[in-house]
Amino acid sequence: RLMNPPDCDGDVASLARAAGEGDVERAAALVDGGADVDAALPGGSCVAMHFAAVEGRAEMVASLMARGADVEGATEEGGETPLYLAAKFGHAAAARRLLEGGAEASRAGPGGMSPLWTACFGGYFEAARALVEGGADVGQARDDGMCPLFMACQNGHVDVARMLIEKDADVDQAGNDGATPLWAACGNGH
């Protein structure tokens, strides 16, 4: 996908590759053999948990958590937590595992975007539902005031918008520019 471990040797790169590929046995053997489960790749801040989240490897997420992995570790480059990344790519099962492991449902990432905001932007209904059920704030807006409902409406994700409204999202919540979810839906032909 978008995150590829560098082609280098060592336990950190091997663990990142195993996590992204979902090779639970190999990852467990590396960590049990002494690899640091939270070690960042050379020249960056991505750890094995980030690769597992991006690829939606729920079983890997659980295995890494069982070995003490940090579920809240954010990348230095963008401030993206594993939960944010799972939501960004619509991986509901991985998101649920992270929430069960203590990930903060409403922790803001880049530009103030929450995991719920990014799941709604992408129209990932199951991921959005998992986040809401895990305690995400349905009204949490990014830095420019745009809330998850606005993004679902703007992008025509009707099922996501309905679910948010059923969970008491404010249909009149306006962004910093005064635009509402209804304006976003109408302005984009939805």
Side-chain angles (χ1 to χ4, degrees):
R1 263 213 219 237
L2 299 179
M3 293 176 68
N4 292 312
D7 189 21
C8 58
D9 294 326
D11 287 347
V12 176
S14 294
L15 180 57
R17 275 193 290 281
E21 294 167 0
D23 189 342
V24 175
E25 288 181 24
R26 183 165 180 238
L30 285 163
V31 175
D32 295 346
D36 181 351
V37 72
D38 287 323
L41 289 168
S45 60
C46 291
V47 299
M49 187 65 84
H50 292 114
F51 291 93
V54 164
E55 296 298 337
R57 309 290 189 186
E59 187 179 347
M60 179 62 71
V61 166
S63 178
L64 293 171
M65 286 189 313
R67 287 167 173 74
D70 181 8
V71 297
E72 286 292 320
T75 63
E76 289 175 15
E77 296 83 12
E80 298 168 319
T81 64
L83 183 59
Y84 178 89
L85 291 169
K88 181 177 183 177
F89 294 102
H91 300 306
R96 280 190 185 91
R97 291 285 177 114
L98 288 160
L99 290 163
E100 290 165 2
E104 186 181 332
S106 293
R107 181 173 171 181
M113 293 180 280
S114 68
L116 180 60
W117 187 97
T118 195
C120 292
F121 176 85
Y124 299 120
F125 178 82
E126 291 300 327
R129 183 167 67 180
L131 291 160
V132 170
E133 290 171 354
D137 177 357
V138 298
Q140 183 179 355
R142 66 180 188 185
D143 293 348
D144 64 3
M146 298 304 161
C147 63
L149 181 59
F150 183 97
M151 299 318 300
C153 290
Q154 173 183 287
N155 294 327
H157 304 306
V158 177
D159 55 343
V160 176
R162 279 192 186 120
M163 185 266 301
L164 292 171
I165 292 167
E166 289 170 3
K167 299 296 183 180
D168 297 323
D170 181 356
V171 298
D172 294 319
Q173 184 175 348
N176 296 348
D177 62 359
T180 63
L182 177 60
W183 179 90
C186 293
N188 288 285
H190 306 300

